[in-house]
Amino acid sequence: MIQFANTEDKQEFSKYPTKAGRRSLSRSISQSSTDSYSSAASYTDSSDDETSPRDKTQVNAHGSSDFCVKNVKQAEFGRREIEIAEQDMSALISLRKRAQGEKPLAGAKIVGCTHITAQTAVLIETLVALGAQCRWTACNIYSTQNEVAAALAETGVPVFAWKGESEDDFWWCIDRCVNTEGWQANMVLDDGGDLTHWVYKKYPSVFKKIRGIVEESVTGVHRLYQLSKAGKLCVPAMNVNDSVTKQKFDNLYCCRESILDGLKRTTDIMFGGKQVVVCGYGEVGKGCCMALKALGAIVCITEIDPICALQACMDGFRVVKLSEVIRQMDVVITCTGNKNVVTREHLDRMKNSCIVCNMGHSNTEIDVASLRSPELTWERVRSQVDHIIWPDGKRVILLAEGRLLNLSCSTVPTFVLSITATTQALALIELFNAPEGRYKQDVYLLPKKMDEYVASLHLPNFDAHLTELTDEQAKYMGLNKNGPFKPNYYRY
């Protein structure tokens, strides 16, 4: 028995919740913290307004309603997010200031389909400052920062996106971006290939008049090469994904940090001693494995490519078949860019509380559709966290419904996105201003000189000082003193 010295002590004690109350309090704290920080700390995640943005009539400060966002009144919050992002994107801001007077994108009408975050907003506003007209939509239904979309809409950029779109909403937003009276796109900036595919299929006359496509994802680049191989690509396209600055920095270093962020925010998992299988040992897979190994996880790899498999072995990882180890795994991570990497058979054999997530662009890697069957129960426990319950009580923890983990459930480092955004901006400038005949109807890699320029813009952040070749050294190596310093076939 607890003895209370006086009535005040007893009243103080009764302020603490009962056991049931503690569970409720814990749940509410957990929910609110996830809502506040999930998907790049969207302020509007926990909004009680369930009305679809498509059913609202909103007007920005300029009197325009040519946009569709969750709540344009959140623009002030979004502007703060953008200003914070600008502080760590000095290279892109530098490019904006250098080229603003020349307006190298004057006349460009860019339709974009990317993740809509504060960092992307800095890119969009840079393109506008360089003379372009832009219309924008989201490439992922969960990654949009609603307040950032509102800030862009408030400044006059037609944005069609909100966090938590349905599949129908997703394609409607893309169509609204492309199909508008008195405006026709002549440039495409895509992430995943959905926008390119939509324009190619639904608006072939518009597609033929596009002057250039810039694509930044493995999935989208694969689609472009398929079009090119079939002889159906009637415009030049720039493969930004395979540029050195994108591969090494966005794919490798960004994922090395954001994989842990996404898993921690959604599951509170402790990595030490956990059995983890990473499907794919490309740049994304390498980044994930580095981070997980550093925190004490026991990591193994699945691979189809013998070169990547040998790299994994030399880095100290076991290379296995998923079916051989699936029963022992605590975490399964896909990053291949392929489809049906994790099948229903794999999911059926997983242990209780196994975490399944995807770090690739597309949601095709995990067979989520097979889990929407009558015998399985879905239980939403947090924002972007579902427990899939089997009849015997086994639970599998699915994150972001199999979509891109880091941008759906957490954030990514702004500095790394500055590198990718600068690369995208330069690729658009290059394609738009290229003389006729320089680029044919094919897929091209970013010129090496441009890759080096992007890297050089970011070196001042580290107070890095490059060594300069002497005339004698340059002649000996057969190089221009100003670059490029490596041949196109060089592997960094």
Side-chain angles (χ1 to χ4, degrees):
M1 295 291 292
I2 301 175
Q3 299 296 322
F4 294 99
N6 53 51
T7 308
E8 288 181 2
D9 288 341
K10 187 173 183 178
Q11 288 175 340
E12 184 67 29
F13 181 82
S14 66
K15 291 179 185 177
Y16 290 88
T18 62
K19 184 176 181 181
R22 285 198 300 273
R23 282 200 302 268
S24 175
L25 178 63
S26 173
R27 177 67 187 88
S28 66
I29 291 172
S30 173
Q31 181 67 58
S32 63
S33 63
T34 307
D35 283 348
S36 298
Y37 293 98
S38 178
S39 187
S42 181
Y43 287 95
T44 49
D45 279 359
S46 55
S47 169
D48 293 330
D49 184 6
E50 296 300 327
T51 307
S52 169
R54 291 169 64 172
D55 298 329
K56 296 179 182 178
T57 301
Q58 301 183 75
V59 179
N60 65 14
H62 305 283
S64 172
S65 59
D66 187 20
F67 63 89
C68 190
V69 299
K70 184 72 173 177
N71 185 357
V72 74
K73 293 178 181 178
Q74 293 288 334
E76 185 181 345
F77 292 116
R79 180 51 51 191
R80 276 189 246 158
E81 292 282 343
I82 295 168
E83 288 170 354
I84 291 169
E86 286 177 344
Q87 303 307 307
D88 213 15
M89 300 182 79
S90 54
L92 189 60
I93 299 300
S94 173
L95 176 66
R96 183 192 296 183
K97 290 177 179 177
R98 290 186 192 188
Q100 197 163 1
E102 302 169 16
K103 302 287 184 188
L105 290 174
K109 296 182 177 180
I110 303 170
V111 60
C113 182
T114 65
H115 301 282
I116 296 183
T117 63
Q119 296 84 5
T120 310
V122 179
L123 168 62
I124 295 169
E125 293 187 343
T126 297
L127 299 178
V128 171
L130 299 186
Q133 296 178 34
C134 296
R135 296 177 68 84
W136 228 263
T137 187
C139 68
N140 185 297
I141 64 175
Y142 293 131
S143 64
T144 297
Q145 285 179 263
N146 286 334
E147 65 280 1
V148 171
L152 287 169
E154 184 68 11
T155 60
V157 177
V159 176
F160 301 85
W162 60 93
K163 181 180 170 68
E165 298 169 8
S166 66
E167 289 287 336
D168 181 62
D169 292 332
F170 175 78
W171 294 111
W172 179 86
C173 287
I174 287 180
D175 194 70
R176 281 295 308 273
C177 259
V178 177
N179 183 21
T180 183
E181 191 175 343
W183 194 91
Q184 184 170 302
N186 55 23
M187 297 293 292
V188 170
L189 177 56
D190 208 356
D191 184 352
D194 290 320
L195 172 60
T196 303
H197 173 78
W198 188 260
V199 178
Y200 171 74
K201 287 288 187 183
K202 289 212 66 175
Y203 303 100
S205 60
V206 174
F207 190 76
K208 289 174 183 176
K209 294 178 182 178
I210 296 291
R211 291 174 62 171
I213 298 169
V214 175
E215 172 58 56
E216 74 151 311
S217 75
V218 173
T219 306
V221 165
H222 179 64
R223 287 175 165 185
L224 286 174
Y225 280 122
Q226 284 180 322
L227 280 177
S228 179
K229 189 176 180 180
K232 297 177 180 178
L233 185 64
C234 55
V235 297
M238 193 74 79
N239 169 7
V240 167
N241 179 72
D242 291 309
S243 65
V244 178
T245 43
K246 169 67 165 61
Q247 279 280 337
K248 290 295 178 183
F249 298 93
D250 197 337
N251 293 9
L252 177 66
Y253 299 123
C254 175
C255 294
R256 186 175 69 181
E257 299 194 16
S258 60
I259 179 64
L260 302 179
D261 190 14
L263 284 169
K264 284 282 189 186
R265 290 195 197 200
T266 50
T267 66
D268 304 313
I269 184 177
M270 185 170 187
F271 293 103
K274 291 293 190 295
Q275 298 271 356
V276 181
V277 59
V278 177
C279 303
Y281 201 65
E283 298 298 337
V284 172
K286 287 180 176 72
C288 292
C289 291
M290 283 182 198
L292 293 162
K293 183 179 181 180
L295 288 188
I298 303 163
V299 184
C300 56
I301 308 297
T302 71
E303 250 301 338
I304 60 168
D305 186 329
I307 296 174
C308 291
L310 184 58
Q311 285 180 311
C313 292
M314 297 298 286
D315 288 337
F317 301 109
R318 283 179 62 217
V319 178
V320 298
K321 290 184 176 179
L322 186 57
S323 57
E324 296 171 348
V325 298
I326 194 65
R327 289 188 187 277
Q328 291 79 45
M329 292 299 109
D330 297 299
V331 185
V332 178
I333 302 168
T334 58
C335 40
T336 69
N338 209 331
K339 64 181 291 187
N340 294 335
V341 177
V342 176
T343 65
R344 175 60 188 268
E345 183 184 355
H346 293 130
L347 292 157
D348 284 338
R349 296 175 59 204
M350 287 176 184
K351 68 195 294 187
N352 185 50
S353 297
C354 180
I355 298 168
V356 187
C357 63
N358 169 46
M359 282 290 285
H361 175 82
S362 180
N363 64 333
T364 58
E365 301 204 30
I366 301 165
D367 186 9
V368 176
S370 70
L371 297 175
R372 301 189 186 279
S373 55
E375 74 276 12
L376 301 182
T377 302
W378 284 61
E379 183 179 286
R380 175 58 59 96
V381 296
R382 284 184 179 178
S383 177
Q384 311 300 342
V385 183
D386 290 294
H387 283 192
I388 317 300
I389 308 170
W390 267 249
D392 63 358
K394 181 189 87 170
R395 292 171 181 250
V396 166
I397 302 169
L398 178 66
L399 306 183
E401 297 184 24
R403 296 179 185 272
L404 182 59
L405 172 71
N406 54 7
L407 277 160
S408 295
C409 300
S410 61
T411 60
V412 294
T414 298
F415 179 77
V416 169
L417 290 185
S418 173
I419 297 173
T420 301
T422 307
T423 305
Q424 290 170 314
L426 288 173
L428 286 166
I429 293 170
E430 172 66 16
L431 281 177
F432 185 71
N433 292 283
E436 190 174 350
R438 177 182 292 179
Y439 296 107
K440 298 180 172 58
Q441 299 168 352
D442 206 348
V443 185
Y444 294 86
L445 289 172
L446 197 71
K448 180 74 67 177
K449 182 70 176 170
M450 210 172 289
D451 246 338
E452 292 178 352
Y453 178 61
V454 172
S456 70
L457 285 175
H458 289 83
L459 289 176
N461 287 69
F462 304 97
D463 194 25
H465 304 273
L466 287 172
T467 301
E468 296 180 10
L469 291 171
T470 65
D471 292 337
E472 184 182 4
Q473 288 173 325
K475 184 177 179 181
Y476 178 76
M477 295 295 291
L479 296 174
N480 185 312
K481 290 177 68 173
N482 298 315
F485 299 98
K486 300 287 191 296
N488 286 330
Y489 56 78
Y490 182 81
R491 296 290 179 262
Y492 287 82

